[in-house]
Each structure stands twice: as C-alpha cells, then as structure tokens.
Amino acid sequence: AAKAQGKNTYAFYTEEQTDVTVRYFALEQDLRSALLQDNELTLHYQPQFKLNIYGDAYLSGFEALVRWHHPQQGWLSPGEFIPLAEETRLIIPLGWKVIELACQQIRLWLDAGYHPPLVAVNISALQLLQSDFNTKLDSLVHHYGLQAEHLELEITESLLMQDPEYTENKLHQLRHAGYRLALDDFGTGYSSLHRLKRLPLDRLKIDRSFVQDIGQCKEDEAIIQTVLQLGTSLGMQVLAEGIETQEQLMFLARRGCHEVQGFLLGRPQAASECNFLLAAEHLDGLKTPQLTHHVS
Ligand code: C2E
Ligand code: MG
Ligand code: MG
Ligand code: MG
C-alpha cells in the first residue's frame, strides 16, 4: 500500500510539474510571437507629478509600463511575463520594443503640438549590459527625431550588483549623452551608500512598500524621511511611488518630497487618455504657475 501511495504521489507530482513546464514553454513561444506582431504589446503611461508642500501636484512625466494582450488569455500584467522574459533573455528584444514604442509616442505627442514631459522606461540589467546598448539607444532616439532629454531610464539596484565598474561607466556615458537616470524601487535592494553617491542619478524612486503604511508604521515613515534627506543632500529628486491616499500624499508633501506617482493621482492609462493632462499643461504654459491638479 505504501508503495502504491508513493507511486501515486510521484505520478501526481510529475503531472503538476509537466503541466507547469508546458504552460511556461507555451507562454515563452507566445511571447516570441508577440514580439513579432505589432498589436499585442503596448504601453500604458502613468503620470508623475511634482509636488509642493501644500500638496499641489503638477504633471512632470509619464512612466511607460508594458502591457501584453495575449490572443487567448487576454490582458496580462508585467508580473505575469517579465520574470519569464528575464529568464529566457527575451527581455532584451522586449526592452527594445518598449523603448521604440515610447519614442513613437513622444513623436506623436510632439507632432500634435504637445510638449510631452519626460517619459521614463524600465530597463532590465540584461539589456543595459549589452555592449551596444548606448549606440542602439542613440540611433533609435535619433530615428524619431528626439533628444536624449526626452527619456529617463529606470534601473534597479540589482543592476548595480553586476559588474559595478562597467555599469557605472556606462551610466556615466548615458548621463553625459543627456539621458536622465532614475533608481527604481529604492530601498528594496542592496545598494550601498558608497555606490549611490558615485552614480549620476537624477531621481530616486522610493518603493511603494514604504509608502503604503504611512500613518500606521512609524518605522516606514522614518525610512521615508531619511531617504528624502539622503536624496536631497545628494542632489537628486526623490519620487515616492504608489500613493493611494490623501493622507500619504499630505505626509509626503509636508516633508518636502519632490515628486509623486500613484493611483490617487493617476493610473497607468492608454496614451490617448493622457492627452487631456497634456492639453491642460499646454494651456497652462501660457500662464504661471502651471497648476494641473489641486489635490490638497
Ligand atoms: P515599477 O517599475 O516599480 O512600476 C510601478 C508599478 O506599480 C506598476 O505596476 C504600476 O501600475 C504600479 N502602481 C503605480 N501606482 C500604484 C499605486 O498607487 N498602487 C498600487 N498598488 N500599484 C501602483 P505594473 O505596471 O504591473 O508593473 C510592475 C513592474 O513590472 C514594474 O514595477 C517594473 O518593474 C516591471 N515592468 C513594467 N513594464 C516594464 C518594462 O517595459 N520593462 C521592464 N524591464 N520591466 C517592466
Ligand atoms: Mg519603474
Ligand atoms: Mg518602481
Ligand atoms: Mg516597483
């Protein structure tokens, strides 16, 4: 009986495993094909805002976030395919697709007469570490008649763990060429202060996990204050991610947080839905100050 049970258990386990492997392999094939189509992968744009101490917010940029419309499974979020893309190195062609889509969109906005603010794209370590990354990026930006200043590259702390000298060098070249650089999900990785001070970063993005317990967790509040001081002293803009409540917004505003991003102020949305924000900015450009969002 024991043997039979063991056998059953084994068979069951194998079936599960096979199932997972098959599904994973299928999704990999689907992603390969999605990269060759021009209608499955799209970008959503989440607005980013400058903040003053009263809690007034002014549009300052958009973060481009990839979305996949799978032919059978419908919309998939990045959490469902970015890890797979990283493991299979498909993140490299995917990353280029994302940069190209972002450049196309900035071009469309410019042609429509808008002054698009900065567009931030997430860059995987695998992609950035490609030896031809900088030249390929330049040629794409040039192809769409854009300037490096239009783009911000969001990198994560894990990138800094790999080949520190090479990475640092590369980031300096990119910064020198005019690209803006942001450190994403700050506080969740292992970057040392020693490394941090040597990187040419424009922005430090405080991870959402620290923001979500504002009002309930004194430790998280203390960490946020410290990161704000640190970033400010190092000459960086500090952006807090994942603002969902008015309380979180006012906490950050009163402590001088430079910028915010989150569902309270704007969800990731199709480019067409961003137009009203851009139009408001455009009109406001004729007067000052440029108030686009009064949230206090
Ligand atoms: P991230 O770069 O930290 O992006 C922010 C994520 O937080 C987005 O999820 C966004 O929708 C979500 N978010 C923003 N505000 C709020 C909020 O107020 N509340 C909550 N609960 N969530 C909020 P998304 O779009 O699912 O992306 C998840 C992650 O996937 C991103 O985290 C990024 O690491 C990765 N990712 C997304 N697009 C790309 C891409 O094009 N390339 C690469 N390499 N990674 C990407
Ligand atoms: Mg990001
Ligand atoms: Mg982030
Ligand atoms: Mg994040």
Side-chain angles (χ1 to χ4, degrees):
K3 196 180 167 193
Q5 199 180 16
K7 203 175 163 194
N8 279 340
T9 311
Y10 181 68
F12 176 70
Y13 177 74
T14 308
E15 235 166 69
E16 279 262 285
Q17 275 299 97
T18 311
D19 200 42
V20 169
T21 312
V22 166
R23 258 189 290 136
Y24 192 83
F25 186 70
L27 200 62
E28 178 186 342
Q29 294 316 306
D30 293 347
L31 186 55
R32 276 182 204 284
S33 115
L35 285 163
L36 302 172
Q37 314 287 323
D38 55 8
N39 55 353
E40 289 189 31
L41 294 164
T42 55
L43 297 183
H44 273 186
Y45 296 85
Q46 184 175 33
Q48 303 173 319
F49 298 88
K50 280 210 184 310
L51 191 64
N52 68 20
I53 53 163
Y54 308 109
D56 302 321
Y58 309 81
L59 184 69
S60 67
F62 289 108
E63 178 173 2
L65 294 156
V66 68
R67 300 290 180 261
W68 180 12
H69 189 78
H70 188 282
Q72 284 85 41
Q73 299 174 42
W75 288 106
L76 298 181
S77 71
E80 296 170 271
F81 62 88
I82 293 285
L84 168 91
E86 292 272 359
E87 274 174 56
T88 56
R89 299 179 69 84
L90 287 173
I91 194 71
I92 298 170
L94 176 71
W96 286 116
K97 181 110 185 175
V98 166
I99 295 175
E100 174 139 33
L101 289 170
C103 288
Q104 269 169 14
Q105 188 55 56
I106 299 171
R107 186 71 256 162
L108 285 172
W109 277 328
L110 285 170
D111 289 347
Y114 295 128
H115 298 282
L118 194 80
V119 173
V121 287
N122 294 282
I123 307 291
S124 147
L126 276 177
Q127 188 187 7
L128 193 115
L129 292 172
Q130 298 287 294
S131 58
D132 59 352
F133 179 80
N134 295 19
T135 47
K136 269 182 102 164
L137 180 64
D138 281 340
S139 61
L140 252 182
V141 165
H142 187 251
H143 176 80
Y144 286 96
L146 306 177
Q147 269 100 53
E149 287 75 12
H150 285 116
L151 285 182
E152 181 167 85
L153 310 176
E154 288 195 7
I155 56 167
T156 55
E157 292 168 275
S158 60
L159 170 75
L160 306 174
M161 305 296 288
Q162 343 219 352
D163 206 338
E165 231 168 279
Y166 179 73
T167 312
E168 233 172 83
N169 210 339
K170 207 150 196 187
L171 292 176
H172 275 100
Q173 286 169 17
L174 288 165
R175 187 66 194 84
H176 188 72
Y179 297 100
R180 290 180 37 119
L181 300 174
L183 190 57
D184 203 0
D185 303 338
F186 183 68
T188 61
Y190 301 92
S191 48
S192 71
L193 299 179
H194 184 69
R195 299 293 313 286
L196 193 66
K197 73 164 190 201
R198 299 211 315 221
L199 295 174
L201 298 171
D202 298 282
R203 240 186 207 169
L204 213 50
K205 299 188 74 177
I206 302 182
D207 192 65
R208 179 160 66 83
S209 57
F210 298 106
V211 171
Q212 68 192 8
D213 290 329
I214 286 175
Q216 281 112 252
C217 179
K218 291 279 164 260
E219 288 81 6
D220 282 342
E221 292 180 359
I223 289 170
I224 290 175
Q225 294 226 55
T226 306
V227 174
L228 273 170
Q229 282 163 7
L230 176 71
T232 306
S233 322
L234 294 175
M236 300 167 188
Q237 296 286 303
V238 180
L239 181 149
E241 309 188 281
I243 283 68
E244 293 183 352
T245 70
Q246 194 68 27
E247 184 188 9
Q248 292 163 353
L249 183 76
M250 289 318 294
F251 174 93
L252 293 159
R254 280 196 287 264
R255 281 157 189 80
C257 182
H258 307 112
E259 291 176 299
V260 283
Q261 178 180 348
F263 292 172
L264 177 70
L265 296 135
R267 294 202 168 235
Q269 54 201 339
S272 59
E273 297 175 73
C274 297
N275 288 353
F276 87 95
L277 274 174
L278 287 166
E281 269 299 290
H282 192 58
L283 286 179
D284 273 342
L286 308 171
K287 9 179 193 90
T288 37
Q290 308 192 352
L291 187 67
T292 60
H293 230 92
H294 190 82
V295 282
S296 57

